[in-house]
Amino acid sequence: MSNKETLYHQVIDAGLSALMVLSPIRDESGNIVDFIFELVNKKAEELVGKPKAFFLGNQLLDLMPGNKADGLFEKYVRVLEEKIDLNIEHFYNHEGIETWFQITASPFDNKLLISFLDFTEKKKSHDILNQYRKDLEKSNQLLKQALRDAQEAIQAKTEFLANMSHELRTPLNGVLGMTDLLKHTDLNEEQESYVSIVQSSGQILLRVINDILDFSKMEAGRLRLEPQKFIVNDIFQSTINIFKERSKKKCINLNLYISNDIPNSMYGDQGRLVQIVLNLLGNAIKFTDKGSIDLKVDIFQIDKAGNIELIVRVIDTGIGVDPEKVNHLFKPFSQIDSTLTRKYEGTGLGLSICDRLVKLMDGRIGYKPNPKGGSEFWFTCKFLSASNYEIDINEFKMSKIQNYNQDSNESTNILIVEDNSVNQKVARTILRKIGHDAKLAENGEEALNILEEENFDLIFMDLQMPIMDGLTATRRIRDIEKEQNKKNTVIIAMTAHVSETDRINCLDAGMNDYITKPIDRSIMESMILKWT
């Protein structure tokens, strides 16, 4: 061996990478049919686990016949014939030891220079990461499907509740509407008693329906606050007046105390405030047989942004709450007495709904025993002072009422679009009682036909009707008014659908306002007052 060859071998042998040099073996046609190992360095010995003598002078396919089957041999041939470099990942199994090699094959002086390194650990990490990525993608797909299923379930639940609301409220509207009308006729004392019982039972059923629907909306995260300006004293006074008759019958003193420091008017969701107070007062009346019930309203604190946090307390001298059951008070479907012999009725949703409403209003709710016997339920909620608003509510109400009274001899031209015959009669009779007559249409299509012949000041429109529903009819009416450059007729939804989505759909369709069934005479009257 010449000095040059010796140096060449020494350089190869001292290389930090595993190196091999293979010479091609050609047939008579010049085609490469195998390779013979010419050089193998120490690093290659270590990685492959074989001494140089195992390789040198031997042919590749004799030592590693698998190279032919796995395509490695063809790649080596290609390197020499096409004079290119190739990077190859190759799996090698020697006596049960599995190894992954990263091979670089290059042409070198008509020979094949192979350098390779063991990247088994890296490969395993890569495979683990790859599997993790695949598992993560699969998990994401499953999660997306679960979310889609959940959304479909929520949608199905929402549609079911909307339909149930309609199916329950429609007949209930007939019951409450007709009993209210009957109450204003000439009745003897016994008949008045019967009507009051029917009306009271209907109102209880309505509260149960409302509780279930409210709870369902809260569960789905669909309950939204509707802030507006209100008179503080009026809200609490009118709320407590609802229970005057019941407290009188039970010989309970019902008292209202409102701090003089509270502004006359405030801005917030008065409807939800009333709902909380009604629940707490209703429970106090239910569980108190003697003594008193106090409703106390004070300022808890005022923050830098001008938010006023009220604290409202309902204090009774009733039966109180078993200390062991206090922790269950605000849990849904939880009742103090759930036995078959229980004395007090209810769904067990009232306090749970109060708890969620209070949190929605950035407040807290709690209970503590009354030292004199009984219970004290309290809650806080935040409102804005409405002192800077331009329109004073009392002045607005008075001006509207005066205008209404001055024009009360003028009947408003009203169209009722409603498919249920009982609800038609209830609505029409209420309107007659307050000085208005109304024309009837049983569905949206019939209403459109009537509107071709006659103009109306106001339309009360049901939503769910055969042939053409109320939303479609409203859109058609608005399109016609736009085409004919006519003034928009006031359209008020009169429906058993009570969700926030339903209200938004009504307004988006072009309706002006929205009232829910059962139809209340005072609300119907206020709508006419508001829009005519």
Side-chain angles (χ1 to χ4, degrees):
M1 186 183 293
S2 67
N3 290 336
K4 186 176 181 181
E5 287 177 328
T6 302
L7 181 62
Y8 166 68
H9 279 255
Q10 287 175 346
V11 169
I12 293 292
D13 209 38
L16 296 176
S17 299
L19 297 171
M20 291 180 174
V21 177
L22 288 77
S23 296
I25 300 173
R26 300 178 183 271
D27 61 13
E28 293 176 356
S29 303
N31 298 319
I32 298 174
V33 294
D34 205 342
F35 290 92
I36 188 167
F37 287 93
E38 188 175 292
L39 281 174
V40 176
N41 74 352
K42 289 180 181 179
K43 192 68 176 177
E45 285 182 292
E46 293 172 7
L47 287 183
V48 178
K50 295 285 186 181
K52 290 181 184 181
F54 176 80
F55 295 101
L56 296 177
N58 292 314
Q59 295 181 16
L60 174 68
L61 295 181
D62 289 339
L63 297 181
M64 301 176 182
N67 280 188
K68 186 82 171 178
D70 60 23
L72 190 61
F73 175 77
E74 284 75 13
K75 291 175 182 175
Y76 289 161
V77 171
R78 186 182 162 206
V79 168
L80 285 185
E81 289 183 345
E82 298 181 15
K83 306 292 184 189
I84 59 172
D85 294 334
L86 278 182
N87 291 312
I88 307 160
E89 287 185 4
H90 182 66
F91 178 71
Y92 177 66
N93 189 340
H94 175 62
E95 297 178 355
I97 300 173
E98 298 179 345
T99 310
W100 276 95
F101 289 119
Q102 178 72 50
I103 300 172
T104 301
S106 305
F108 174 70
D109 196 19
N110 294 320
K111 297 176 183 181
L112 182 69
L113 175 63
I114 296 173
S115 64
F116 56 96
L117 56 88
D118 181 350
F119 80 120
T120 305
E121 293 304 317
K122 186 176 180 181
K123 176 72 173 175
K124 286 180 179 178
S125 299
H126 181 269
D127 287 346
I128 291 170
L129 288 172
N130 224 18
Q131 187 59 46
Y132 178 74
R133 179 181 58 79
K134 289 178 180 177
D135 291 344
L136 191 60
E137 286 176 356
K138 186 177 179 180
S139 297
N140 284 340
Q141 290 300 320
L142 291 172
L143 181 60
K144 286 177 183 177
Q145 185 59 49
L147 287 171
R148 280 193 292 268
D149 292 343
Q151 286 169 347
E152 288 174 7
I154 290 170
Q155 183 61 30
K157 181 180 177 182
T158 301
E159 289 173 2
F160 171 77
L161 288 171
N163 289 331
M164 285 304 296
S165 172
H166 183 271
E167 295 303 320
L168 290 168
R169 285 171 176 270
T170 297
L172 190 57
N173 178 62
V175 172
L176 291 175
M178 294 306 285
T179 51
D180 185 60
L181 294 172
L182 186 60
K183 201 172 182 179
H184 289 85
T185 61
D186 293 328
L187 302 173
N188 60 39
E189 189 174 337
E190 185 179 9
Q191 289 169 332
E192 281 184 4
S193 173
Y194 295 156
V195 171
S196 294
I197 291 170
V198 173
Q199 195 170 40
S200 176
S201 298
Q203 291 292 349
I204 290 170
L205 178 57
L206 180 61
R207 282 198 294 274
V208 170
I209 294 170
N210 287 338
D211 278 354
I212 293 170
L213 291 172
D214 271 351
F215 183 76
S216 299
K217 283 188 280 187
M218 290 173 186
E219 287 283 281
R222 292 170 179 262
L223 194 68
R224 299 288 182 270
L225 296 178
E226 297 179 15
Q228 57 184 307
K229 189 177 177 184
F230 64 91
I231 302 297
V232 177
N233 190 70
D234 289 357
I235 287 295
F236 288 103
Q237 189 62 61
S238 61
T239 304
I240 209 163
N241 285 344
I242 294 171
F243 297 97
K244 284 288 187 184
E245 194 63 32
R246 286 175 63 188
S247 63
K248 188 177 179 182
K249 284 180 181 179
K250 296 183 79 172
C251 297
I252 299 168
N253 293 320
L254 187 57
N255 308 303
L256 171 63
Y257 304 96
I258 300 178
S259 170
N260 293 328
D261 296 328
I262 297 174
N264 181 50
S265 58
M266 300 182 76
Y267 186 80
D269 193 327
Q270 60 172 343
R272 296 304 177 184
L273 173 62
V274 169
Q275 186 176 354
I276 299 166
V277 177
L278 280 174
N279 250 307
L280 298 183
L281 279 176
N283 283 346
I285 292 282
K286 186 195 299 184
F287 296 111
T288 304
D289 292 324
K290 61 180 181 179
S292 63
I293 298 171
D294 296 335
L295 173 59
K296 296 184 176 183
V297 189
D298 294 288
I299 290 179
F300 185 67
Q301 64 180 3
I302 302 175
D303 64 22
K304 294 179 180 179
N307 295 309
I308 300 171
E309 189 169 5
L310 296 182
I311 181 166
V312 181
R313 295 179 292 158
V314 176
I315 307 165
D316 65 58
T317 56
I319 62 173
V321 178
D322 185 339
E324 293 182 1
K325 297 187 176 181
V326 169
N327 291 334
H328 299 282
L329 280 174
F330 300 101
K331 293 181 179 178
F333 307 107
S334 178
Q335 294 177 319
I336 299 303
D337 181 7
S338 57
T339 63
L340 293 174
T341 57
R342 65 193 177 101
K343 178 181 177 182
Y344 304 102
E345 297 179 347
T347 60
L349 286 173
L351 288 177
S352 173
I353 289 170
C354 288
D355 178 48
R356 297 183 187 213
L357 287 176
V358 164
K359 287 174 181 174
L360 200 60
M361 299 167 79
D362 294 326
R364 296 171 296 136
I365 190 168
Y367 161 85
K368 65 180 182 180
N370 182 0
K372 297 178 181 178
S375 304
E376 177 180 329
F377 283 86
W378 59 269
F379 69 93
T380 66
C381 49
K382 290 182 180 179
F383 300 94
L384 284 171
S385 172
S387 57
N388 295 328
Y389 281 72
E390 292 181 1
I391 301 174
D392 182 84
I393 293 176
N394 284 326
E395 289 179 7
F396 175 76
K397 281 184 175 179
M398 287 305 297
S399 64
K400 289 292 286 183
I401 291 169
Q402 286 167 4
N403 291 337
Y404 182 68
N405 289 336
Q406 288 167 5
D407 300 331
S408 60
N409 58 339
E410 294 181 12
S411 177
T412 304
N413 198 14
I414 297 172
L415 176 64
I416 298 171
V417 189
E418 166 68 64
D419 64 311
N420 184 279
S421 58
V422 175
N423 289 336
Q424 287 177 357
K425 189 172 183 66
V426 169
R428 197 172 194 180
T429 306
I430 287 174
L431 290 172
R432 283 175 177 170
K433 291 281 186 181
I434 58 177
H436 307 284
D437 198 6
K439 204 159 193 172
L440 297 175
E442 293 194 354
N443 56 67
E445 188 175 278
E446 191 174 320
L448 289 173
N449 293 333
I450 292 172
L451 286 165
E452 286 180 3
E453 306 296 329
E454 190 175 350
N455 293 323
F456 292 88
D457 301 311
L458 187 146
I459 301 172
F460 283 107
M461 179 81 74
D462 189 20
L463 293 193
Q464 191 169 315
M465 297 178 290
I467 303 175
M468 184 185 289
D469 63 81
L471 295 176
T472 303
T474 300
R475 293 188 190 99
R476 295 272 186 90
I477 291 168
R478 295 304 185 219
D479 288 342
I480 292 168
E481 289 170 339
K482 189 174 181 180
E483 289 170 7
Q484 298 179 359
N485 199 25
K486 291 172 65 176
K487 181 183 176 182
N488 281 4
T489 306
V490 175
I491 303 175
I492 298 170
M494 184 177 65
T495 176
H497 293 284
V498 295
S499 73
E500 176 67 12
T501 303
D502 294 320
R503 190 185 72 83
I504 292 169
N505 288 341
C506 288
L507 298 177
D508 287 346
M511 294 182 174
N512 300 86
D513 220 322
Y514 181 98
I515 61 173
T516 59
K517 295 174 183 175
I519 300 167
D520 183 274
R521 173 175 171 164
S522 61
I523 293 176
M524 203 172 214
E525 193 169 2
S526 70
M527 281 293 165
I528 297 170
L529 175 65
K530 179 179 178 180
W531 291 103
T532 60

